[in-house]
Amino acid sequence: MKVIESRSNALIKQALRINAGKPCADAEMIVVEGHKLIDEALKSGATLRMCFIDSAGTLAGRPELAERAILVPRNILNDLATVHTPGHIVAYFEAPAMPDPREILDRSAMLVILDRIQDPGNLGAIMRTGEALGAGAVILLKGCCSPFNPKTVRAAMGSSFRIPTLSMPDHQYALAQLKKHGFTCLAASMQGTPLPAFAFPERSVLFFGQEGQGLQQEIFAECNDTLAIPMQGQVESLNVATSVALCLYEWVRGRKS
């Protein structure tokens, strides 16, 4: 196993640049921490580039990690970690290739589109929920945080490597493409058709807006309908990831009824 003991080593510097979100010379990479998430990345077929462990780490039964493993002192592993209580292993994978948008739009029955979602934890939770409930893809409009942010990857719990994630420049472009492919465009809001009473069309897309501010008004004007989640008490709004989960659950329930 290769050993690195200096923070000035070129590989350590490269890893720190990735952690900081700075572009790499070659393919974009994702930092993945902990054996559970690393195993999810490996199962998805993601390409492992680097793997750092300290003396307390173990690679037993993981030959694919052992081939790329680099032993570093604990203080360097702490520098590479993006969590407050790091474990004993940090790995770097090539980011999944951007899927063909036309293929995704042709084959999907449900899509989730996010407008200026800036909390990486919310984005990761939405990606995980989208995969669990059968969304064809998560589409990010300009202003969303990166799907490769370490916090997004942790919150997605492996879904980062499985559910297709597309980026589109703005809502005008997205709406034009969606309508061209026969989707009914639905906006999530505080007021509108009550979600349980709505019959989802065969091909639907759900728009969700920025935490706190909601969707841009131009999107409401272009969507076919606006859906609202019935709430009781004095709650004014729900976390966007929770809203996505409830809407997708109702979509799945309607398809099975």
Side-chain angles (χ1 to χ4, degrees), residues 119-172:
D119 186 294
N122 279 339
L123 176 55
I126 290 168
M127 294 167 71
R128 187 180 184 189
T129 299
E131 181 189 12
L133 294 177
V138 173
I139 299 176
L140 309 178
L141 300 182
K142 183 179 180 180
C144 287
C145 61
S146 171
F148 307 135
N149 181 294
K151 187 175 180 180
T152 302
V153 175
R154 290 196 299 274
M157 291 296 291
S159 294
S160 303
F161 300 96
R162 294 186 296 264
I163 188 169
T165 304
L166 304 174
S167 294
M168 292 189 177
D170 51 49
H171 64 271
Q172 293 97 336

Side-chain angles (χ1 to χ4, degrees), residues 83-251:
V83 295
H84 293 299
T85 55
H88 302 287
I89 184 168
V90 179
Y92 294 80
F93 289 84
E94 282 189 19
M98 179 72 73
D100 183 342
R102 291 170 298 181
E103 180 182 337
I104 297 298
L105 295 178
D106 284 341
R107 75 184 188 203
S108 298
M110 169 60 75
L111 298 168
V112 172
I113 294 197
L114 305 178
D115 173 34
R116 298 166 298 145
I117 299 300
Q118 297 173 350
D119 186 294
N122 279 339
L123 176 55
I126 290 168
M127 294 167 71
R128 187 180 184 189
T129 299
E131 181 189 12
L133 294 177
V138 173
I139 299 176
L140 309 178
L141 300 182
K142 183 179 180 180
C144 287
C145 61
S146 171
F148 307 135
N149 181 294
K151 187 175 180 180
T152 302
V153 175
R154 290 196 299 274
M157 291 296 291
S159 294
S160 303
F161 300 96
R162 294 186 296 264
I163 188 169
T165 304
L166 304 174
S167 294
M168 292 189 177
D170 51 49
H171 64 271
Q172 293 97 336
Y173 176 85
L175 285 161
Q177 293 300 310
L178 293 164
K179 291 179 179 180
K180 180 180 176 181
H181 284 78
F183 283 93
T184 298
C185 297
L186 307 168
S189 183
M190 297 298 298
Q191 297 179 343
T193 303
L195 181 62
F198 184 75
F200 282 91
E202 183 176 349
R203 308 191 79 209
S204 301
V205 56
L206 286 161
F207 280 81
F208 295 88
Q210 183 184 47
E211 302 92 342
Q213 297 183 17
L215 284 168
Q216 300 178 65
Q217 289 302 314
E218 295 89 341
I219 295 178
F220 285 114
E222 293 292 334
C223 281
N224 301 92
D225 207 338
T226 300
L227 304 183
I229 298 169
M231 293 187 291
Q232 301 181 34
Q234 300 181 36
V235 177
E236 294 183 357
S237 64
L238 294 173
N239 173 276
V240 64
T242 301
S243 297
V244 172
L246 289 171
C247 289
L248 288 181
Y249 179 82
E250 283 295 325
W251 168 68

Side-chain angles (χ1 to χ4, degrees), residues 4-25 29-33 50-52 70 72-83 90-93 148 150:
I4 293 177
E5 296 184 346
S6 172
R7 199 177 186 276
S8 62
N9 180 275
L11 289 179
I12 301 299
K13 289 182 176 180
Q14 181 186 14
L16 291 171
R17 286 197 299 272
I18 296 168
N19 288 13
K22 297 178 180 178
C24 299
M29 287 199 277
I30 301 177
V31 55
V32 183
E33 300 168 68
M50 299 184 291
C51 176
F52 299 94
I70 301 168
V72 296
R74 181 65 191 179
N75 65 311
I76 290 182
L77 196 71
N78 287 341
D79 289 341
L80 296 178
T82 65
V83 295
V90 179
Y92 294 80
F93 289 84
F148 307 135

